[in-house]
Amino acid sequence: MTTTRALGLTVIGAAIYIVATGVALPDPVASHFGAGGRADGAMTRNAYLALMIGVCCVLPLALALPMRLVVRLPAAFLSLPDKAYWLAPERAAATRAWLADQGAAFGILLCLFLCYTHTLVVRAHATSPPHLDERLMLGGLAAFGACIAGWLARFVLHFRVRR
């Protein structure tokens, strides 16, 4: 399965997950939490679900799409270290495909983190008044940061080693 296809399936799964778990939320939904995990902002359930589907599904696709378009850009518009080597005729297709895959991988990571955040909002509504577990939020944010750091390191290191 290609990474782009995996991104598509992740986004579809995220939309289904958000709707399936979001219909049980109260109306209005506590949608913003301040210090100590206390709710300090709310919106209608339908607005929350629309926002979360947009953020969890549209944003990752919007960030991955430009990398997918790299396949069609002239080499003059690409900025890569040792560009002549990486875009030589025998490597250009593989390099462009790798860049597109990395955009999709980033989109998958972002989509999963945003679904995790939605899960924490759903869990926050298990108590009255709603309370977000800050430890889980900070832990998730740290894990997401570590994944992005690994993604970025892989991205940078890929172009330092000639194959």
Side-chain angles (χ1 to χ4, degrees):
M1 176 187 312
T2 67
T3 312
T4 302
R5 185 168 292 156
L7 173 60
L9 292 173
T10 302
V11 164
I12 291 167
I16 293 168
Y17 173 72
I18 290 166
V19 170
T21 57
V23 295
L25 288 169
D27 196 3
V29 174
S31 56
H32 188 270
F33 299 85
R38 286 180 288 283
D40 62 4
M43 61 177 53
T44 67
R45 180 178 46 237
N46 287 343
Y48 171 80
L49 292 175
L51 176 69
M52 286 310 294
I53 288 171
V55 170
C56 287
C57 301
V58 177
L59 183 60
L61 291 173
L63 293 173
L65 181 62
M67 294 298 278
R68 194 80 204 141
L69 296 176
V70 163
V71 191
R72 295 186 174 93
L73 284 177
F77 291 109
L78 298 177
S79 178
L80 296 172
D82 203 1
K83 180 163 61 170
Y85 173 80
W86 291 106
L87 295 178
E90 64 274 12
R91 280 180 290 286
T95 297
R96 290 170 185 267
W98 191 86
L99 288 169
D101 281 348
Q102 294 315 296
F106 180 83
I108 290 168
L109 288 173
L110 180 59
C111 185
L112 293 175
F113 172 70
L114 293 169
C115 281
Y116 176 76
T117 302
H118 166 72
T119 301
L120 294 181
V121 170
V122 171
R123 286 178 51 129
H125 284 85
T127 62
S128 184
H131 184 268
L132 185 75
D133 188 329
E134 285 184 311
R135 290 179 308 136
L136 290 178
M137 184 65 211
L138 291 174
L141 192 57
F144 178 65
C147 287
I148 294 302
W151 174 86
L152 185 58
R154 182 173 186 249
F155 197 93
V156 170
L157 292 174
H158 177 82
F159 290 107
R160 293 203 184 252
V161 179
R162 288 183 171 206
R163 290 170 172 70

